[in-house]
Short mmCIF file of all heavy atoms in Angstrom, two decimals:
data_model
loop_
_atom_site.label_atom_id
_atom_site.label_comp_id
_atom_site.label_asym_id
_atom_site.label_seq_id
_atom_site.Cartn_x
_atom_site.Cartn_y
_atom_site.Cartn_z
N VAL A 1040 11.07 21.92 -9.72
CA VAL A 1040 10.69 22.31 -11.09
C VAL A 1040 10.68 21.08 -12.00
O VAL A 1040 9.71 20.83 -12.73
CB VAL A 1040 11.67 23.37 -11.64
CG1 VAL A 1040 11.41 23.58 -13.14
CG2 VAL A 1040 11.52 24.68 -10.90
N VAL A 1041 11.75 20.29 -11.92
CA VAL A 1041 11.85 19.10 -12.77
C VAL A 1041 10.73 18.12 -12.44
O VAL A 1041 10.06 17.59 -13.35
CB VAL A 1041 13.23 18.42 -12.57
CG1 VAL A 1041 13.30 17.12 -13.37
CG2 VAL A 1041 14.35 19.37 -12.99
N LEU A 1042 10.51 17.86 -11.17
CA LEU A 1042 9.48 16.90 -10.75
C LEU A 1042 8.10 17.35 -11.21
O LEU A 1042 7.31 16.55 -11.74
CB LEU A 1042 9.51 16.73 -9.24
CG LEU A 1042 10.67 15.89 -8.69
CD1 LEU A 1042 10.90 16.17 -7.21
CD2 LEU A 1042 10.39 14.41 -8.90
N ALA A 1043 7.78 18.63 -10.99
CA ALA A 1043 6.44 19.12 -11.36
C ALA A 1043 6.21 19.05 -12.86
O ALA A 1043 5.15 18.62 -13.32
CB ALA A 1043 6.27 20.56 -10.86
N VAL A 1044 7.21 19.44 -13.65
CA VAL A 1044 7.05 19.45 -15.10
C VAL A 1044 6.99 18.03 -15.66
O VAL A 1044 6.11 17.70 -16.47
CB VAL A 1044 8.20 20.25 -15.76
CG1 VAL A 1044 8.15 20.08 -17.28
CG2 VAL A 1044 8.10 21.73 -15.39
N VAL A 1045 7.92 17.18 -15.23
CA VAL A 1045 7.96 15.81 -15.76
C VAL A 1045 6.69 15.04 -15.38
O VAL A 1045 6.09 14.35 -16.21
CB VAL A 1045 9.21 15.07 -15.26
CG1 VAL A 1045 9.16 13.59 -15.66
CG2 VAL A 1045 10.47 15.72 -15.81
N MET A 1046 6.25 15.17 -14.14
CA MET A 1046 5.05 14.45 -13.71
C MET A 1046 3.78 14.99 -14.37
O MET A 1046 2.77 14.29 -14.43
CB MET A 1046 4.93 14.50 -12.18
CG MET A 1046 5.98 13.68 -11.46
SD MET A 1046 5.97 11.93 -11.94
CE MET A 1046 4.49 11.37 -11.08
N SER A 1047 3.84 16.22 -14.86
CA SER A 1047 2.69 16.75 -15.61
C SER A 1047 2.47 15.95 -16.89
O SER A 1047 1.34 15.84 -17.37
CB SER A 1047 2.93 18.22 -15.97
OG SER A 1047 3.00 19.01 -14.81
N PHE A 1048 3.54 15.36 -17.42
CA PHE A 1048 3.43 14.55 -18.63
C PHE A 1048 3.36 13.06 -18.33
O PHE A 1048 2.63 12.32 -18.99
CB PHE A 1048 4.63 14.83 -19.55
CG PHE A 1048 4.65 16.22 -20.11
CD1 PHE A 1048 5.43 17.20 -19.52
CD2 PHE A 1048 3.90 16.55 -21.22
CE1 PHE A 1048 5.46 18.49 -20.03
CE2 PHE A 1048 3.91 17.84 -21.74
CZ PHE A 1048 4.69 18.82 -21.15
N LEU A 1049 4.11 12.58 -17.35
CA LEU A 1049 4.22 11.15 -17.11
C LEU A 1049 3.36 10.64 -15.95
O LEU A 1049 3.12 9.44 -15.86
CB LEU A 1049 5.69 10.78 -16.82
CG LEU A 1049 6.71 11.10 -17.91
CD1 LEU A 1049 8.09 10.59 -17.49
CD2 LEU A 1049 6.30 10.50 -19.24
N GLY A 1050 2.92 11.51 -15.08
CA GLY A 1050 2.19 11.08 -13.88
C GLY A 1050 0.86 10.43 -14.20
O GLY A 1050 0.25 10.68 -15.25
N GLY A 1051 0.40 9.62 -13.28
CA GLY A 1051 -0.87 8.92 -13.47
C GLY A 1051 -2.06 9.61 -12.84
O GLY A 1051 -3.18 9.12 -12.93
N ARG A 1052 -1.84 10.78 -12.20
CA ARG A 1052 -2.93 11.49 -11.54
C ARG A 1052 -2.88 12.97 -11.92
O ARG A 1052 -2.11 13.74 -11.38
CB ARG A 1052 -2.79 11.33 -10.03
CG ARG A 1052 -3.74 12.10 -9.14
CD ARG A 1052 -5.19 11.74 -9.29
NE ARG A 1052 -5.89 12.65 -10.16
CZ ARG A 1052 -7.16 12.53 -10.49
NH1 ARG A 1052 -7.87 11.51 -10.03
NH2 ARG A 1052 -7.74 13.40 -11.28
N PRO A 1053 -3.70 13.39 -12.89
CA PRO A 1053 -3.74 14.81 -13.25
C PRO A 1053 -4.06 15.69 -12.05
O PRO A 1053 -4.81 15.30 -11.15
CB PRO A 1053 -4.87 14.87 -14.28
CG PRO A 1053 -4.94 13.49 -14.86
CD PRO A 1053 -4.60 12.57 -13.73
N ALA A 1054 -3.46 16.88 -12.03
CA ALA A 1054 -3.68 17.90 -11.00
C ALA A 1054 -2.98 17.58 -9.68
O ALA A 1054 -3.11 18.34 -8.72
CB ALA A 1054 -5.16 18.16 -10.76
N MET A 1055 -2.23 16.48 -9.60
CA MET A 1055 -1.49 16.16 -8.38
C MET A 1055 -0.09 16.75 -8.48
O MET A 1055 0.61 16.53 -9.47
CB MET A 1055 -1.43 14.66 -8.15
CG MET A 1055 -0.82 14.29 -6.80
SD MET A 1055 -1.02 12.53 -6.41
CE MET A 1055 0.27 11.81 -7.42
N VAL A 1056 0.32 17.48 -7.46
CA VAL A 1056 1.58 18.22 -7.47
C VAL A 1056 2.69 17.38 -6.87
O VAL A 1056 2.57 16.87 -5.75
CB VAL A 1056 1.45 19.53 -6.67
CG1 VAL A 1056 2.74 20.34 -6.75
CG2 VAL A 1056 0.27 20.35 -7.19
#
Side-chain angles (χ1 to χ4, degrees):
V1040 170
V1041 175
L1042 285 160
V1044 171
V1045 173
M1046 290 302 286
S1047 296
F1048 293 98
L1049 300 184
R1052 174 63 262 178
M1055 187 170 78
V1056 183

